[in-house]
């Protein structure tokens, strides 16, 4: 996901491989299957992961929580990386990394029985090198500790959760995104990532919010979710049809 241009992704909330495939085939760099808040929560994601990868995009999964059994399960399903929510310390980030990596870099168990045959890694070292681990910073405590979190060996990026962070800070989301003052939460996250040579990622949800986050220095950006895209397109369709009458 490292590039001179922004890496643009989509969010798969629906439990439907065809919509995940359509998003990936539209030209996105990656699609994240949401097992924390999406309709896919609690369900096997193998078919969704395969659909995204078949369309030529990278398949990530946001797990429900920082638990090794959940992380291992989605990686066994063929996910190329995980986004781990609500990480607030270097210790929690180290736990996420350990769950993603095989020994000697971590504690992931070998047994990818459900991984599509075309995407089984050659060996543990190849899997460790090709699997991304990003942790979400979504609270004031996490922002305060982001220099230590970003410095955890094996971490590939920090993923900002602006909605939860705005709630926790007591700031309206537009105000959080507009804050460019020295020491602002967003700039602290970006600076910590730059200092440690990892990616600064964020959930925009819309192209406009993603652009604002990009202006802060985030380079991996979620620009939309499948259910929202469908709802917006449906509303536009109805509006156009009504206008015909």
């Amino acid at each position: 996901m490292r590039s001179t241009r922004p890496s643009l992704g989509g969010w798969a909330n629906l439990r439907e491989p065809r919509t995940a495939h359509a998003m990936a085939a539209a030209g996105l760099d990656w699609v994240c299957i949401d097992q924390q808040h999406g309709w896919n929560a609690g369900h096997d994601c193998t078919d969704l992961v395969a659909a995204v990868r078949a369309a030529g995009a990278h398949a990530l999964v946001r797990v429900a929580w920082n638990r090794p059994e959940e992380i291992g399960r989605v990686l066994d399903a063929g996910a190329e990386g995980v986004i781990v929510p609500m990480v607030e310390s270097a210790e929690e980030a180290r736990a996420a990394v350990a769950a993603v990596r095989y020994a000697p870099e971590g504690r992931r168990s070998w047994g990818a029985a459900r991984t599509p045959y075309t995407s089984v890694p050659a060996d543990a070292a190849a899997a460790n090198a090709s699997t991304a681990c990003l942790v979400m910073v979504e609270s004031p405590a996490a922002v305060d500790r982001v220099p230590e979190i970003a410095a955890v060996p094996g971490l590939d990026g920090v993923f900002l959760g602006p909605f939860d962070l705005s709630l926790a800070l007591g700031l309206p989301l537009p105000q959080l995104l507009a804050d460019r003052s020295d020491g602002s939460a967003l700039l602290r996250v970006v600076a910590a990532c730059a200092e440690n040579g990892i990616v600064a990622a964020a959930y925009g949800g819309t192209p406009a919010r993603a652009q604002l986050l990009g202006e802060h220095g985030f380079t991996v950006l979620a620009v939309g979710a499948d259910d929202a895209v469908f709802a917006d397109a449906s509303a536009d369709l109805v509006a156009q049809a009504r206008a015909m009458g």
Side-chain angles (χ1 to χ4, degrees):
M1 295 196 311
R2 299 176 192 275
S3 172
T4 56
R5 66 173 178 82
S7 177
L8 302 181
W11 217 252
N13 287 322
L14 301 175
R15 190 156 57 97
E16 175 49 67
R18 287 170 294 185
T19 59
H21 185 276
M23 289 189 79
L28 292 171
D29 299 301
W30 53 274
V31 173
C32 178
I33 298 152
D34 191 358
Q35 290 205 321
Q36 184 185 26
H37 294 303
W39 290 102
N40 186 59
H43 296 276
D44 183 82
C45 64
T46 305
D47 289 345
L48 285 162
V49 168
V52 170
R53 296 188 66 167
H58 294 293
L60 305 180
V61 175
R62 177 165 72 170
V63 293
W65 207 252
N66 190 4
R67 290 194 290 265
E69 68 272 23
E70 292 200 20
I71 292 171
R73 189 177 299 120
V74 301
L75 295 179
D76 284 351
E80 296 166 275
V82 294
I83 299 173
V84 181
M86 292 293 183
V87 168
E88 292 190 321
S89 69
E91 180 181 6
E92 292 176 359
R94 281 192 290 270
V97 171
V100 168
R101 312 286 180 214
Y102 293 112
E105 298 173 38
R107 300 185 62 197
R108 180 183 173 190
S109 175
W110 184 273
R114 292 179 296 115
T115 305
Y117 293 123
T118 56
S119 59
V120 175
D123 52 41
N128 285 348
S130 62
T131 305
C133 180
L134 296 93
V135 298
M136 296 194 74
V137 164
E138 305 177 82
S139 70
V143 173
D144 288 342
R145 298 172 187 147
V146 73
E148 293 81 13
I149 292 171
V152 168
L155 190 67
D156 295 292
V158 170
F159 200 104
L160 180 80
F163 290 88
D164 278 318
L165 183 57
S166 70
L167 287 172
L169 290 171
L171 290 175
L173 182 60
Q175 187 175 337
L176 175 67
L177 297 180
D179 185 4
R180 297 173 181 272
S181 62
D182 291 340
S184 71
L186 273 58
L187 293 181
R188 289 166 67 185
V189 172
V190 169
C193 291
E195 178 70 20
N196 290 280
I198 63 176
V199 298
Y203 182 87
T206 67
R209 281 197 298 265
Q211 181 176 353
L212 289 174
L213 288 160
E215 291 170 359
H216 283 275
F218 291 92
T219 58
V220 176
L221 298 161
V223 298
D226 53 2
D227 51 353
V229 169
F230 182 78
D232 290 344
S234 296
D236 288 344
L237 177 68
V238 172
Q240 292 176 33
R242 297 291 186 196
M244 293 170 56

